[in-house]
Amino acid sequence: MKSRARKRKPARTGVAPSEKLWGGRFSRGADPAAERFTGSLAFDRRLWPHDVRGSVAWAKALAKAGLLSASERDTIVKGLEAVQEELAAGTFPFRAELEDIHTNVERRLQELVGDVGGKLHTGRSRNDQIALDERLYLREVIARVRAGLRRAQETLVARAAETVDAPLPGYTHLQRAQPIVLGHHLLAYVFMLQRDRERFGDCGSRADTLTLGAAALAGTAFPVDLEALAKDLGFSAVSPNSLDAVSDRDALLEFLAGAAITGMHLSRLAADLTLWATAEFGFVEFSDAFATGSSIMPQKKNPDVAELIRGKSGRLYGNLMAVLTTMKGLPLAYNSDMQEDKEPFFDSVDTLEAILAVLPPMLASLAFRTDRMRRAAGENFATATDLADYLVRKGVPFRQAHALVGRIVRFCEAEGKSLEGLGLVELRRFSPLFDDDAKDALTVEASLRARALTGGTAPEAVRRSLALARTLIARA
Ligand code: ARG
């Protein structure tokens, strides 16, 4: 058995060690399974524009520090531009066995410009390089996500402006509670998305430091002008600690947390709309363009888009948990575990962008059934609180007024009447304080009008909130 095992062909190795960036101290190539297992090219290739940009800036900084001659710098920069063209044109010869995007770019540069390309990695490590690439990418993503959130806000504001005077029941415990106007309900989401938009902005401002120069962990040993490099790459400061610079993934975590919270907000909006689209509610109809049918039930129209917006919050939470868990307990500084940050991060980016692409047109195409909402707004004793408030204005302590109106509601239920259906004589049987104007207090319109303080549902107050929302949205 032993001798047969010895005769077995040696394990096929992947790329020769000399091809690796780190091949010098290795006498044999990696096991192909190990090579596949450790490679990240399949997912980190999307970072190429940022990787090339960082390398161009680094080459210029090396030249300023006297580590590259002007002609070496120009050769490297031109070479990187050629690499970039190949990448942009889709003709770049990606080699999965070269581990990651950083190695692919550097190797290709060497192929194109020769040995001088080997000077690019002076004083730099893939550890500070990946931290930089991720920050540059994050900056771009944050700008896109914030623009997408703004488009969603603008659509909601437009729909709210149409419906400032459209009453519907407001709910607590999913039981009809008090009348509100639809514009008020829609604006609630505008303010949630405003916080989300600000959160992504905060995340970007905390990620505004240069990590390049940290090298592997201890800082570069060459006199590179990091402040100038920071400026060149659009960062306002240099990271003050090299260990932190290469081992920190807070910016990604903040993005993931922001995405999870945004997903939660949008899941609630989607849930409201899905509920409103039921036959039982009938408050909204989805456009055919944002609904799907059933393969068996010919009559069905399903709010798939809204359901999936609700459903995708699950993976946004999962991605946050995945990266938090990966980072937990990692000793300083860089560890390969951190390569696991990318797929969840990119998945949240893609998921959020996909949601934000479909949400504004879906919202714009909703047909609100304001007639049905209006009818429902006054049902189920929705203005009972207003009747109690009427008595309070006549000096009755609120607790007593609450109990008294509770008895009126019980009476109405027994008699099969609505509050508005009660005559003054019947009301006076419960309290002599009821006058002619008591009936007015019971209308939906009066109930709405009464809530005119800041943040209330009175159309007048909602108009003020609408103006505020427009101001906030117009801000960067
Ligand atoms: N692919 C790596 C990552 O995503 C880049 C940094 C690798 N550094 C290293 N020493 N293996 O984290």
Side-chain angles (χ1 to χ4, degrees):
M1 282 308 261
K2 235 183 177 182
S3 66
R4 222 195 291 160
R6 225 181 280 131
K7 258 190 256 152
R8 226 194 266 150
K9 271 207 276 170
R12 218 167 47 76
T13 56
V15 70
S18 59
E19 287 253 52
K20 300 283 191 191
L21 289 179
W22 35 258
R25 64 106 61 222
F26 285 75
S27 55
R28 57 171 284 180
D31 178 271
E35 200 166 77
R36 276 195 302 277
F37 187 67
T38 52
S40 55
L41 184 65
F43 46 87
D44 68 14
R45 66 166 71 193
R46 74 163 70 187
L47 294 173
W48 69 259
H50 314 289
D51 200 70
V52 172
R53 182 174 175 204
S55 287
V56 168
W58 186 245
K60 290 179 179 169
L62 285 178
K64 273 209 284 180
L67 292 152
L68 294 177
S69 70
S71 87
E72 286 174 330
R73 176 200 61 203
D74 293 346
T75 305
I76 289 178
V77 170
K78 279 214 192 75
L80 285 167
E81 282 164 3
V83 169
Q84 181 165 32
E85 269 166 38
E86 290 182 346
L87 284 159
T91 57
F92 183 90
F94 281 110
R95 294 170 63 192
E97 70 277 16
L98 291 182
E99 226 176 307
D100 53 28
I101 187 62
H102 324 295
T103 314
N104 267 265
V105 168
E106 192 181 327
R107 275 277 178 261
R108 185 64 184 148
L109 172 70
Q110 283 170 300
E111 277 169 22
L112 295 178
V113 305
D115 281 348
V116 65
K119 290 196 170 190
L120 174 63
H121 211 55
T122 308
R124 179 179 81 164
S125 158
R126 282 180 298 162
N127 297 352
D128 57 348
Q129 206 179 342
I130 184 62
L132 170 75
D133 291 5
E134 289 185 327
R135 282 178 187 218
L136 291 174
Y137 173 73
L138 182 68
R139 195 151 76 184
E140 215 176 77
V141 164
I142 285 176
R144 283 205 303 269
V145 164
R146 296 185 81 221
L149 286 170
R150 174 184 275 142
R151 278 191 293 279
Q153 286 181 301
E154 283 165 351
T155 314
L156 284 166
V157 159
R159 302 308 314 258
E162 296 163 19
T163 52
V164 169
D165 296 292
L168 81 160
Y171 294 78
T172 63
H173 313 268
L174 204 49
Q175 303 291 313
R176 285 183 184 170
Q178 291 176 336
I180 57 171
V181 293
L182 180 53
H184 195 53
H185 194 111
L186 297 175
L187 276 180
Y189 289 104
V190 173
F191 292 108
M192 289 181 226
L193 296 184
Q194 179 63 23
R195 293 194 294 278
D196 293 334
R197 210 155 60 80
E198 289 170 7
R199 221 178 325 268
F200 285 114
D202 293 346
C203 160
S205 57
R206 264 188 296 280
D208 188 19
T209 55
L210 178 76
T211 57
L212 220 49
L217 76 164
T220 187
F222 299 102
V224 172
D225 182 348
L226 294 180
E227 277 69 25
L229 181 58
K231 207 177 265 172
D232 188 19
L233 287 168
F235 292 101
S236 58
V238 177
S239 179
N241 185 295
S242 61
L243 296 173
D244 187 33
V246 291
S247 61
D248 162 40
R249 293 293 181 271
D250 288 4
L252 266 62
L253 286 166
E254 287 189 34
F255 178 88
L256 289 164
I261 295 173
T262 304
M264 176 273 291
H265 288 152
L266 296 180
S267 79
R268 299 182 74 176
L269 173 58
D272 273 342
L273 295 174
T274 307
L275 188 64
W276 287 359
T278 58
E280 286 73 10
F281 273 76
F283 287 177
V284 75
E285 195 179 332
F286 283 92
S287 150
D288 284 1
F290 293 91
T292 58
S294 157
S295 61
I296 176 170
M297 297 166 282
Q299 86 288 6
K300 284 296 289 291
K301 180 165 165 183
N302 297 326
D304 268 58
V305 175
E307 291 171 90
L308 283 168
I309 289 174
R310 186 176 59 192
K312 282 181 190 295
S313 54
R315 64 201 286 166
L316 294 173
Y317 293 9
N319 292 336
L320 170 62
M321 284 304 133
V323 179
L324 277 174
T325 310
T326 294
M327 295 303 294
K328 177 185 179 296
L330 282 188
L332 295 186
Y334 180 82
N335 298 272
S336 284
D337 311 45
M338 291 161 68
Q339 181 166 293
E340 288 293 306
D341 64 352
K342 278 164 218 59
E343 287 166 289
F345 171 44
F346 295 156
D347 184 68
S348 279
V349 169
D350 295 343
T351 300
L352 198 52
E353 294 208 81
I355 292 173
L356 292 174
V358 79
L359 180 67
M362 182 192 82
L363 293 171
S365 68
L366 293 172
F368 291 118
R369 303 284 311 275
T370 48
D371 51 332
R372 288 185 54 104
M373 290 181 181
R374 173 69 190 83
R375 222 173 304 135
E379 291 172 1
N380 304 82
F381 314 106
T383 54
T385 313
D386 298 280
L387 200 57
D389 288 350
Y390 175 91
L391 292 173
V392 166
R393 287 190 189 96
K394 302 251 168 167
V396 180
F398 179 71
R399 271 294 142 238
Q400 281 176 31
H402 185 290
L404 194 146
V405 175
R407 286 198 298 277
I408 297 177
V409 168
R410 184 143 47 95
F411 169 79
C412 285
E413 273 187 330
E415 299 287 309
K417 290 190 169 191
S418 67
L419 280 180
E420 308 90 300
L422 290 180
L424 187 55
V425 181
E426 283 167 308
L427 280 176
R428 276 183 184 277
R429 243 187 270 145
F430 290 90
S431 168
L433 293 172
F434 286 121
D435 282 323
D436 283 341
D437 56 350
K439 301 274 292 167
D440 302 337
L442 284 171
T443 65
V444 166
E445 278 65 27
S447 170
L448 293 170
R449 230 179 6 253
R451 289 162 175 79
L453 295 186
T454 301
T457 194
E460 170 200 339
V462 175
R463 274 191 192 88
R464 292 199 304 272
S465 290
L466 195 59
L468 172 66
R470 285 189 170 121
T471 310
L472 293 173
I473 293 171
R475 259 185 228 159

